[in-house]
Amino acid sequence: MDKTTQTLAIYVTDLSYNQLPASTIHETKKHLVDAIACGIGGYTSEPAQIARRVAANTSGTPPARLFGTGQQTSMEMAAFANAVMVRYLDFNDTYISKGSGHPSDMIAAILAVAEAQRCSGKETLLAVAVAYEVYAALADVIGLRDLGWDQGVFAVLGSAAGVAKLLKLTREQTGDALAIAVSGNIPTRQTRSGKLSMWKGVATPAAARAGVSAALLAQAGMTGPTAAFEGRHGIWDQVTGPFQLGVMGGKGTPFGIERTNLKFFPSEYHSQAPLWIALELRKKVAVADIEAVNVQTYYTAWSEIGSEPEKWNPRTRETADHSLPYLLSLGFTDGRITVDSFSEQRINDPALRQLMNRIKIAENKEYTRQFPAKLMTEIEVLTRSGQRFVESAQYSKGHTKNPMTDADVESKFRILCEGLLDHAQRDALLKALWNIDQAVDLSGLIDLLIIKK
């Protein structure tokens, strides 16, 4: 195997649970609670229903179960269908560095294999931490977005690494799993451009599924490309260009999961700080008096959610939660953004459309220079009466420099469970997640994820 594959394989096989600091273990639990909340919240969505129908046609030995229904399927399809639920609301966590994406898309893959293989809670937490570390190590040095590739490159490698840890693969097998995963799964960025479809929330679940498959193949003896990253026509040649991995978590170096942000609002991450600004400005100016809204932000935010014509004319939920004009209009008009803010009727509300047309978004070169250390946005509101109001923000609630507390995450969990789990089951599930390190296996936890209503 090449040096990059070897570096990752050595790290994955050598890391042990007792090397995880208490802060890392706690943060891993917090992200697990957040991801499961998002999964329950996404249970009734159409993409989740489609994924469960397809998963129901598949069996596996040993089997894994689907969130919500408890139906048995293969480990790969449980990883996929459950990750679709986690991802649907665009409410799950986000890693921001040179590259970015949603690491908790991998959690469903880890849980599927951990349940099927009867792994302990501690083994599960370690596997999640490993998956996040591989994801973060790559995102720190590769700007996939600007190269035209999608975050599934990080997710497939992280998922393969986490599952390899659960399966107790050797160093050679882990290297094969990583090589198989990355060589066969390079998704394009078209997934997140223009009018967005269901696949926007399904692409990384597909990568998570592929990561599970790669690890299972390696366990069975399948060998992967011998120089997947650095060899001729490998990832360096075809996708990323050469890169050097940095020091990974442990021995005093913080773990990636502790640098991963949570979301306070169910919308694309770069909208989080602008939405806080809109809610503050709403206290000072009435919607009816708004003449113009001028937004200055960094390039990634502008390009992702404030540059394409479709962002001023969203027609799907997937486009709406990636439309800064739509989201700001919600903030100014409703004073809140919830999972109910993206119904077809709300998206097509003429009043929101009128306000969206008064919103202009531009890149501020200085804010771009400061990114990703700072996520600066400034919003100016001009009123019909001639007043001017300006607010700015750099770290929204949920950013690691302005973190959500355990209580914040639990509140989010309870809100997303409402109407799906009764309060007793909800509280039992929450307790099981916070105490997962005491679990001998995950059967009881998955039992609590079955929706009985």
Side-chain angles (χ1 to χ4, degrees), residues 7 15 46 59 79 96 167-168 204 215-216 243 254 260 265 282 287 356 366 376 384 389 405 412 430 432 436 447:
T7 299
L15 190 68
E46 187 177 1
S59 61
I96 302 289
L167 297 175
K168 299 179 173 60
T204 39
L216 291 173
F243 61 83
T260 305
F265 303 112
R282 187 177 186 270
V287 174
M356 288 165 62
E366 176 59 21
M376 281 293 302
R384 299 184 193 280
F389 299 91
T405 64
K412 178 177 174 179
L430 187 57
I436 190 173
D447 286 343

Side-chain angles (χ1 to χ4, degrees), residues 291-350:
E291 178 65 28
V293 177
N294 298 312
V295 181
Q296 292 191 57
T297 190
Y298 46 95
Y299 172 81
T300 301
W302 170 80
S303 176
E304 186 77 7
I305 56 177
S307 61
E308 299 170 308
E310 291 86 354
K311 301 304 188 282
W312 275 263
N313 186 32
R315 294 297 182 185
T316 64
R317 187 205 192 282
E318 290 81 5
T319 306
D321 67 30
H322 272 54
S323 163
L324 188 53
Y326 177 75
L327 294 164
L328 290 177
S329 296
L330 281 175
F332 284 120
T333 303
D334 296 351
R336 61 191 180 95
I337 297 87
T338 71
V339 295
D340 298 322
S341 299
F342 301 96
S343 66
E344 183 177 353
Q345 180 180 8
R346 199 75 188 102
I347 291 171
N348 292 297
D349 186 332

Side-chain angles (χ1 to χ4, degrees), residues 36-37 39-40 43 66-70 82 111 413 417 421 425 429 433 442-452:
I36 293 299
I40 294 170
Y43 172 75
L66 300 176
F67 296 169
T69 65
N82 293 342
L111 293 180
F413 185 94
C417 288
L421 301 181
Q425 183 180 354
L429 175 57
L433 290 167
L442 300 193
S443 57
L445 176 62
I446 305 301
D447 286 343
L448 289 169
L449 272 166
I450 296 174
I451 295 171
K452 300 172 184 176

